[in-house]
Amino acid sequence: MKRFTFALLLISHVLYGQVDSAVHEIQQHRKNQEEEFRDPKKSPLDKKLRKHFKGLNYYPIDLNYRVKATFVKTENPVLFKMRTTTDRLPEYVKYGEVHFKLDGEERMLEVYQSPDISQKPGLEDYLFIPFTDETNGVDTYEVGRYIDLKIPKSNEVIIDFNKSYNPYCSYGSAYSCPIPPEVNHLPLKLMAGEMKFSSRIARH
């Protein structure tokens, strides 16, 4: 009995440790994002907005939106032009797909790579997932949101929608941002990650 109780305590300790680590990772991600917005050299905000910047708006952290996914790499990727919020048509390749379960249903999102971005030092393994869901235009930016990803070393990856963020065009008209392809629409209210930007009100 004592061994069984000890085993349960050990499992609980490990699980709580994993939860604490995931929450800390998300909190650090948000802290880094807001520090970047305050940095004149990196911020997408103009001087006036930056001066009154009080923080970004987020849904409360919910680890139900942190999911294990199966990554399937595209065997023969083909270049295509992705639509943006302007006339710009940057080239991307579909690098692969992630398959996961969310809200009780099997889901899939395509993962993209920019040949131009991958040429930049430090971004050789950069991938991104642009997506839309049923919160767009209500609680979140109408065009959609993004999640960053690195080229995985195995076929199992973590997709954390708590880290989803708005494209720069949501902060000003001077930017040109990729529009998520229709195939990357999730037919659910994905209440995780960054919400609509407000220069006056910050929710965390």
Side-chain angles (χ1 to χ4, degrees), residues 30 39 46 68 95 101 112 118 152 161 165 177 180 201:
R30 294 179 176 184
D39 186 340
D46 61 31
K68 286 185 179 180
Y95 193 86
K101 180 173 279 190
Y112 305 105
S118 64
F161 290 98
Y165 63 93
C177 304
I201 301 172

Side-chain angles (χ1 to χ4, degrees), residues 5-199:
T5 302
F6 176 76
L8 285 177
L9 289 172
L10 183 60
I11 292 171
S12 296
H13 178 74
V14 171
L15 291 176
Y16 278 120
Q18 291 174 343
V19 168
D20 287 344
S21 177
V23 170
H24 176 74
E25 185 181 308
I26 296 164
Q27 290 172 334
Q28 189 61 47
H29 176 270
R30 294 179 176 184
K31 179 181 178 182
N32 293 344
Q33 188 180 18
E34 294 199 341
E35 286 178 353
E36 182 176 298
F37 272 62
R38 293 185 174 93
D39 186 340
K41 295 181 180 179
K42 299 179 180 179
S43 179
L45 304 178
D46 61 31
K47 185 176 180 179
K48 183 179 179 181
L49 282 178
R50 197 169 63 248
K51 181 180 178 181
H52 298 285
F53 179 65
K54 295 182 179 180
L56 298 172
N57 303 324
Y58 301 101
Y59 285 107
I61 293 173
D62 186 343
L63 296 186
N64 289 313
Y65 291 105
R66 180 182 173 92
V67 298
K68 286 185 179 180
T70 299
F71 177 80
V72 181
K73 186 177 180 180
T74 302
E75 290 296 326
N76 298 298
V78 178
L79 277 174
F80 72 96
K81 295 183 183 295
M82 189 177 290
R83 292 193 307 125
T84 68
T85 52
T86 64
D87 293 334
R88 188 175 66 96
L89 293 171
E91 290 187 329
Y92 282 87
V93 295
K94 175 188 169 184
Y95 193 86
E97 298 175 353
V98 285
H99 297 257
F100 54 94
K101 180 173 279 190
L102 187 61
D103 201 24
E105 299 287 342
E106 295 294 333
R107 314 287 182 182
M108 185 280 293
L109 289 172
E110 293 187 348
V111 182
Y112 305 105
Q113 182 184 55
S114 163
D116 289 338
I117 293 176
S118 64
Q119 297 297 317
K120 298 179 180 179
L123 296 175
E124 296 87 354
D125 62 349
Y126 175 76
L127 306 173
F128 95 121
I129 305 173
F131 71 94
T132 57
D133 68 273
E134 299 299 318
T135 67
N136 299 148
V138 183
D139 294 330
T140 62
Y141 182 50
E142 55 267 23
V143 171
R145 292 179 288 171
Y146 301 162
I147 292 178
D148 292 337
L149 192 66
K150 291 185 177 181
I151 294 176
K153 296 179 181 179
S154 72
N155 65 349
E156 186 176 284
V157 295
I158 297 293
I159 304 298
D160 194 340
F161 290 98
N162 292 283
K163 295 181 181 179
S164 60
Y165 63 93
N166 293 332
Y168 272 11
C169 51
S170 67
Y171 312 111
S173 59
Y175 297 97
S176 172
C177 304
I179 296 173
E182 290 183 13
V183 68
N184 271 16
H185 177 72
L186 293 172
L188 56 90
K189 291 185 177 180
L190 209 156
M191 296 184 289
E194 189 177 353
M195 303 175 72
K196 279 185 177 180
F197 174 67
S198 169
S199 60

